[in-house]
Amino acid sequence: MGKKTDKISSSTPSVNNENTRTGTTVDAIKQAILDNLHCIQGRVPELASRNDWYMAVAFSVRDRMLDNFIRSIKRLSEPRIKIASYLSAEFLMGPHLGNNLLCLGITDQVREAVKELGQDLDDLLEQEEEPGLGNGGLGRLAACYMDSLASLNVPAIGYGIRYEFGIFDQEIRDGWQTEKTDKWLRLGNPWEICRPEIAYTVNFGGLTEQYQDDKGRLQVRWIPYRVVKGIAYDTPVSAYRDDTVNLLRLWKSEAIESFDFQAFNVGDYYKSVDQKIISETVSKVLYPNDEPEIGKILRLSQQYFFVSCSLQDMINIQRLRGKSLDTFHESFAVQLNDTHPSIAVAELMRLLVDEHLMDWDKAWTITQRTMAYTNHTLLPEALEKWPLPLFSRSLPRHTEIIFEINRRFLDEVRERFPNDDGRVSRLSIIDETGEKYVRMAHLAAVGSHHINGVAALHSDLLTKTVLKDLYDMFPGRFTNVTNGVTPRRWVALSNPGLASLITRTIGDKWIKHFEDEIHKIEPFVKDRGFRQEWSKIKRGNKERLAALIKERTGIEIDPDSLFDVQVKRIHEYKRQHLNVLHIITLYNRIKKAPRKDIVPRTFIFGGKAAPGYFMAKLIIKLINSVAEVVNNDPDVAGRLKVAFFPDFNVKNGHHVYPAADLSEQISTAGKEASGTGNMKFSMNGALTIGTLDGANVEIREEVGAENFFLFGLTAEEVLDLKTKGYAPRKFYESNAELREAIDQIRSGHFSKGNSDLFAPLVDNLLNHDPFLLLADYQSYIDCQDRVSTAYRDQDRWARMSILNVACMGKFSSDRSIQEYCDNIWKTKPLKKR
Ligand code: F58
């Protein structure tokens, strides 16, 4: 590393000091770290803890982002720039330090500087507690999109909630999941900037009343029962080797002072403290469920809280631009990440009509031109709806507004489809078929100019199933944007070995222009040396994962075995238990023919279950129970191993995806909206075994049928089978291997003779099997046999692996974001200054 010594002028005030705040030589960075250790952590090196060093390094890196951050924020107030506002209740950003070093291009210098200070950069990277402000795919997608927005120089703000406690930490005790609160802020968060002066008030409860304004017009005033304040916390999100540093603005809830004073003045000190606690509760904790929980008033408060703060913030930016609210939709493209922020439709109406006295029709046009809605699910039970009584108690004014939106909307429906009361009732934003509910997907769809699914199959099925009536009403609004993931974090950062080989082979443009560049490695599939190097890198990644699994679980795994990996939330539709049936089948085959030559496999699972999702937790217990039997049976030693990697999160994902040989994408066709883990695996050279579900369909199209292990019923066949009447027991009775596996689970073979433990799982499979495991079992097993055969030919496997990566260009989130910009937001990248 070149160690140019930039002279430090003693007369330069430190804030403007080129060297310590912005310099990128090893010496400048070293000095910066020491300064921050001294000035921010208040420590001398001899007494500094690892966290002190981590903080000092993180602040030094952040310092180097600030010039561009400040410049990018300033540009947000330029009148003609259209800002993409990504509203999401979840942002699963993952650890920042490594990614920011990568974006700034200073990893080597910082590594050296840290080394000269007696520290190890990898230890400090490990020290970072990741902000787990999301549950899974949806939150991680938002993070990949923030990365791409910055790298494409699109002016953008991500708006969300600064949960004090993110997704719980998972521990495995006696094979069961236990949850521990995620105290991610405990040691401080060096990446955020708190901005107490950027604060908005948010009302809850109370009632509304009419009044006449000074022009004699009838207006509505909301008199709330409670008022809380939202404070902005800003995190910079940097482009890869470019100037844009966008803004992730998360809101923390606090008490408003006036409430304290009110109570204090009448002497009720405790009541004022109560108020503070209640107010702070709003942003306290992320709901850890992967399906919406009906009737949780706090969840509705969270949604309204962050949406209201965000829209008020946008209106404030519009004011700073000196522009009228009449052109709000020209300044902002608001994307609703699922229905969680869909109250934005009613809130923007309220702000425009009640607070800014705009007339209804104009406000509605602006609202519709501003909002767009992304749907992420096909499970009808996952479509969000709020019980009307609860909703109207919290948001009385929004209820009125929604009723008025609905009244006008249903008039349109009646006009388009006369004498079709069934349709009117199905389309109504208010579900009145029994207990009354507010249907959030309907609110979002009615108030948006575009509605998109997240993979081609998903977008198509939406128009035929859960959103069919809305599609019939607004066919022109529906579109598809297939998800993508960022190649920066998911290849360049997490798989440095592979990244370096690719760069040595085709140059480094692939990191920024993945879609156009990555296919250039394809010709090298013919190069034996390249293939060997490719395999060597995978082998190294597998060794490192093996060491980590040993450290975390005590389980020893063989890096020469096929690493067969399924990491994702635990859910019945994702069918981790189908994977388990395959493990048991292989186990039984070996037991029957101990000398049989089989391809050694290591099955690796990871993922969290919603704390209240009994069946998902039982599946975790099943995996661990089968693991215990298989891993300790001398007959299968050296051939089968099963490991459950605890606490799967972004940070752990960095180690898992690059080490996989086989990626399990085995959901029931028609249930997984897209999947994004499937893309991360494939980008890292794992082959996929999967159904024709979500983005698997498009991955297979890209990599070619011959490089993808396909099995199972299609979405259409699934529907067909269910309509005709599905009898899982028939499959059980007619398939000896399947019967044996299920009987073993039932009899207690994997649970020390306890035949009660897995009874709910087995009963469900035999009597209902809503996700068709038994119907797909044989097809899956046969496909897995083909996988094993293919793996025997390591050279062929390497070819397939290379082709997988070469064909992944489409699945860069840069491509997805470009489509959002071109087709939905009509935003343009910032022009260079
Ligand atoms: C996921 N949804 C989809 N929801 O399941 C997955 O197929 C898709 O790839 C991904 O979105 C991105 O589009 C998902 O992760 C949640 O976690 C919600 C959290 C809040 C409650 C409802 C589920």
Side-chain angles (χ1 to χ4, degrees):
M1 197 48 49
K3 280 206 280 170
K4 267 193 277 153
T5 35
D6 305 18
K7 289 223 177 68
I8 302 171
S9 146
S10 54
S11 60
T12 316
S14 71
V15 72
N16 290 323
N17 190 319
E18 266 287 301
N19 293 306
T20 54
R21 296 287 183 178
T22 60
T24 53
T25 62
V26 172
D27 282 349
I29 291 169
K30 209 164 107 182
Q31 194 55 49
I33 296 170
L34 287 171
D35 277 7
N36 282 326
L37 191 66
H38 183 92
C39 297
I40 299 187
Q41 293 306 102
R43 281 268 183 250
V44 289
E46 303 77 59
L47 291 180
S49 67
R50 183 180 287 183
N51 192 62
D52 290 325
W53 283 111
Y54 160 72
M55 295 289 276
V57 171
F59 280 117
S60 307
V61 173
R62 196 185 84 175
D63 286 343
R64 280 147 184 78
M65 300 169 74
L66 284 179
D67 278 348
N68 281 330
F69 190 38
I70 290 163
R71 253 194 293 275
S72 299
I73 291 178
K74 192 157 163 255
R75 296 203 66 180
L76 295 179
S77 54
E78 286 177 21
R80 266 184 290 281
I81 286 174
K82 189 165 188 182
I83 299 174
S85 292
Y86 200 82
L87 263 61
S88 179
E90 306 190 355
F91 284 92
L92 198 43
M93 298 298 281
H96 292 291
L97 177 56
N99 193 57
N100 287 334
L101 290 173
L102 174 75
C103 287
L104 298 179
I106 56 171
T107 309
D108 292 343
Q109 297 93 306
V110 170
R111 187 177 291 283
E112 177 59 24
V114 159
K115 190 171 156 208
E116 289 180 16
L117 292 166
Q119 303 298 310
D120 177 52
L121 182 61
D122 292 325
D123 288 346
L124 301 184
L125 289 167
E126 205 38 56
Q127 177 66 29
E128 180 169 356
E129 186 109 37
E130 76 171 73
L133 308 186
N135 273 285
L138 174 147
R140 182 54 230 176
L141 185 77
C144 283
Y145 283 178
M146 289 305 293
D147 179 282
S148 287
L149 283 162
S151 283
L152 292 172
N153 296 309
V154 178
I157 308 178
Y159 281 113
I161 302 173
R162 181 183 176 273
Y163 299 105
E164 186 177 335
F165 302 107
I167 186 73
F168 61 85
D169 294 335
Q170 178 192 58
E171 284 182 5
I172 303 297
R173 294 212 188 121
D174 187 29
W176 294 97
Q177 165 177 299
T178 59
E179 299 95 24
K180 286 184 73 184
T181 45
D182 160 55
K183 306 193 186 74
W184 72 289
L185 289 168
R186 192 179 28 178
L187 299 176
N189 172 11
W191 302 106
E192 66 186 9
I193 297 174
C194 172
R195 304 203 185 275
E197 76 285 12
I198 301 181
Y200 303 97
T201 58
V202 180
N203 298 342
F204 292 99
L207 45 90
T208 64
E209 65 179 25
Q210 296 195 331
Y211 70 97
Q212 281 200 337
D213 67 15
D214 40 18
K215 292 194 183 108
R217 294 174 308 190
L218 209 57
Q219 303 288 0
V220 179
R221 178 155 53 214
W222 177 10
I223 300 151
Y225 171 73
R226 191 186 307 288
V227 184
V228 307
K229 183 168 73 175
I231 310 267
Y233 280 72
D234 290 350
T235 301
V237 180
S238 178
Y240 177 76
R241 312 278 159 98
D242 208 340
D243 298 342
T244 299
V245 177
N246 275 336
L247 174 58
L248 174 64
R249 177 160 284 177
L250 303 181
W251 303 102
K252 174 181 193 281
S253 64
E254 288 193 354
I256 56 165
E257 288 86 10
S258 55
F259 261 73
D260 286 14
F261 287 130
Q262 257 177 28
F264 201 65
N265 285 341
V266 292
D268 195 346
Y269 178 74
Y270 293 104
K271 197 164 169 213
S272 80
V273 176
D274 274 357
Q275 286 295 344
K276 185 168 155 59
I277 290 168
I278 293 167
S279 302
E280 287 175 0
T281 304
V282 175
S283 60
K284 190 60 84 180
V285 57
L286 168 80
Y287 278 90
N289 306 311
D290 46 17
E291 264 170 37
E293 212 172 325
I294 287 192
K296 284 282 184 280
I297 193 161
L298 180 60
R299 168 93 178 151
L300 180 63
S301 307
Q302 290 184 337
Q303 295 182 353
Y304 176 57
F305 164 73
F306 96 87
V307 162
S308 179
C309 290
S310 308
L311 284 170
Q312 291 184 64
D313 196 45
M314 289 178 237
I315 288 175
N316 191 44
I317 293 171
Q318 183 77 342
R319 188 184 57 78
L320 291 173
R321 288 175 167 201
K323 288 184 76 178
S324 136
L325 286 177
D326 294 5
T327 58
F328 185 78
H329 57 287
E330 292 167 12
S331 297
F332 294 95
V334 172
Q335 192 67 31
L336 308 174
N337 197 22
D338 214 292
T339 53
H340 322 132
S342 61
I343 188 65
V345 171
E347 173 66 355
L348 183 55
M349 285 300 286
R350 189 191 68 82
L351 290 165
L352 295 177
V353 173
D354 293 358
E355 308 274 331
H356 296 274
L357 308 183
M358 191 181 280
D359 74 59
W360 180 281
D361 290 320
K362 192 157 144 192
W364 184 240
T365 304
I366 290 169
T367 299
Q368 276 190 323
R369 288 183 181 176
T370 302
M371 306 287 166
Y373 155 54
T374 306
N375 171 290
H376 296 264
T377 187
L378 282 159
L379 305 179
E381 65 272 24
L383 287 182
E384 212 180 13
K385 54 183 192 176
W386 290 103
L388 184 61
L390 172 150
F391 191 93
S392 60
R393 235 177 296 130
S394 282
L395 301 172
R397 179 57 185 144
H398 296 79
T399 308
E400 293 171 356
I401 290 172
I402 289 169
F403 272 73
E404 181 58 17
I405 293 171
N406 199 35
R407 188 185 67 75
R408 290 164 181 246
F409 166 57
L410 294 182
D411 280 350
E412 272 179 64
V413 175
R414 287 189 196 95
E415 201 170 304
R416 271 280 301 284
F417 302 96
N419 308 314
D420 193 347
D421 288 349
R423 187 184 295 271
V424 172
S425 143
R426 292 196 307 275
L427 269 171
S428 173
I429 300 174
I430 309 298
D431 175 358
E432 301 191 67
T433 52
E435 307 258 283
K436 290 187 181 165
Y437 291 97
V438 186
R439 293 165 166 155
M440 301 312 271
H442 293 222
L443 177 62
V446 172
S448 293
H449 53 88
H450 280 86
I451 302 157
N452 75 285
V454 289
L457 175 70
H458 170 234
S459 296
D460 179 52
L461 289 174
L462 276 182
T463 67
K464 295 177 173 152
T465 61
V466 286
L467 301 186
K468 180 179 187 315
D469 291 311
L470 285 161
Y471 175 70
D472 291 344
M473 186 65 198
F474 306 121
R477 288 188 196 181
F478 280 73
T479 184
N480 172 249
V481 183
T482 298
N483 284 343
V485 301
T486 169
R488 267 80 62 187
R489 180 176 290 274
W490 295 114
V491 184
L493 178 64
S494 59
N495 200 342
L498 193 71
S500 149
L501 174 61
I502 297 173
T503 297
R504 275 180 276 130
T505 310
I506 61 168
D508 66 359
K509 287 218 228 65
W510 64 274
I511 303 175
K512 210 175 173 61
H513 304 283
F514 197 70
E515 202 186 354
D516 303 330
E517 295 288 326
I518 195 64
H519 71 91
K520 292 184 181 165
I521 63 167
E522 190 174 332
F524 294 88
V525 78
K526 298 200 190 89
D527 178 334
R528 194 175 166 74
F530 183 81
R531 292 199 302 275
Q532 280 169 346
E533 255 197 273
W534 188 273
S535 304
K536 208 170 115 203
I537 289 159
K538 179 65 81 180
R539 164 77 205 210
N541 293 342
K542 288 168 76 174
E543 279 169 20
R544 279 183 289 278
L545 180 62
L548 201 60
I549 286 178
K550 169 82 180 147
E551 183 190 312
R552 305 265 166 99
T553 67
I555 299 170
E556 198 122 13
I557 64 180
D558 175 7
D560 282 326
S561 63
L562 187 167
F563 278 19
D564 178 337
V565 188
Q566 189 171 19
V567 287
K568 50 180 79 239
R569 286 298 284 246
I570 312 292
H571 204 295
E572 285 164 281
Y573 84 79
K574 296 178 189 278
R575 303 200 293 194
Q576 281 90 355
H577 44 341
L578 179 58
N579 190 340
V580 173
L581 288 175
H582 173 236
I583 300 174
I584 298 175
T585 304
L586 286 185
Y587 174 70
N588 289 335
R589 286 181 185 172
I590 296 173
K591 292 296 281 184
K592 287 193 185 103
R595 274 171 225 293
K596 199 169 173 233
D597 178 28
I598 76 140
V599 172
R601 284 211 199 206
T602 300
F603 295 89
I604 298 164
F605 291 86
K608 295 176 186 179
Y613 187 175
F614 169 73
M615 211 55 112
K617 289 182 137 177
L618 198 55
I619 291 172
I620 294 180
K621 175 66 176 169
L622 176 67
I623 294 167
N624 285 309
S625 303
V626 170
E628 196 167 326
V629 171
V630 170
N631 296 348
N632 295 305
D633 188 328
D635 286 353
V636 299
R639 288 185 280 181
L640 290 188
K641 274 282 167 74
V642 183
F644 191 94
F645 191 124
D647 203 37
F648 184 69
N649 55 16
V650 175
K651 209 168 159 186
N652 291 328
H654 288 181
H655 303 291
V656 173
Y657 296 111
D661 294 309
L662 187 66
S663 153
E664 296 273 352
Q665 306 302 334
I666 61 177
S667 52
T668 317
K671 298 293 176 195
E672 188 70 270
S674 161
T676 44
N678 45 5
M679 302 167 187
K680 293 165 199 163
F681 277 113
S682 204
M683 271 188 194
N684 283 283
L687 306 190
T688 305
I689 182 165
T691 47
L692 279 180
D693 201 16
N696 295 354
V697 177
E698 290 157 83
I699 292 178
R700 181 166 169 269
E701 267 166 26
E702 294 296 308
V703 305
E706 67 285 9
N707 297 310
F708 186 105
F709 295 98
L710 177 71
F711 77 96
L713 298 172
T714 63
E716 211 174 328
E717 289 164 346
V718 165
L719 217 69
D720 243 35
L721 182 58
K722 287 209 167 177
T723 335
K724 287 188 187 130
Y726 171 50
R729 222 172 253 279
K730 276 200 202 141
F731 290 91
Y732 164 81
E733 278 157 7
S734 62
N735 188 321
E737 284 197 313
L738 171 62
R739 196 165 58 241
E740 185 181 15
I742 288 188
D743 287 349
Q744 284 169 324
I745 299 173
R746 178 166 43 193
S747 67
H749 190 91
F750 300 105
S751 44
K752 305 191 172 101
N754 179 351
S755 56
D756 292 334
L757 184 61
F758 298 118
L761 231 159
V762 172
D763 290 346
N764 189 260
L765 285 182
L766 290 179
N767 300 320
H768 310 287
D769 191 18
F771 299 106
L772 280 71
L773 277 78
L774 305 203
D776 273 347
Y777 169 82
Q778 194 56 51
S779 163
Y780 181 54
I781 299 291
D782 294 345
C783 192
Q784 286 285 21
D785 289 343
R786 293 200 297 279
V787 169
S788 292
T789 308
Y791 195 73
R792 283 183 193 278
D793 183 348
Q794 281 289 293
D795 195 47
R796 177 176 161 222
W797 189 275
R799 287 170 198 265
M800 292 167 80
S801 167
I802 294 164
L803 288 177
N804 258 266
V805 176
C807 296
M808 287 304 288
K810 172 172 176 184
F811 303 99
S812 162
S813 44
D814 297 348
R815 189 269 314 148
S816 315
I817 284 299
Q818 196 61 57
E819 289 183 11
Y820 278 101
C821 288
D822 295 344
N823 306 335
I824 300 183
W825 303 334
K826 317 281 181 200
T827 47
K828 289 198 188 66
L830 278 174
K831 289 211 181 68
K832 283 269 155 82
R833 279 278 168 78

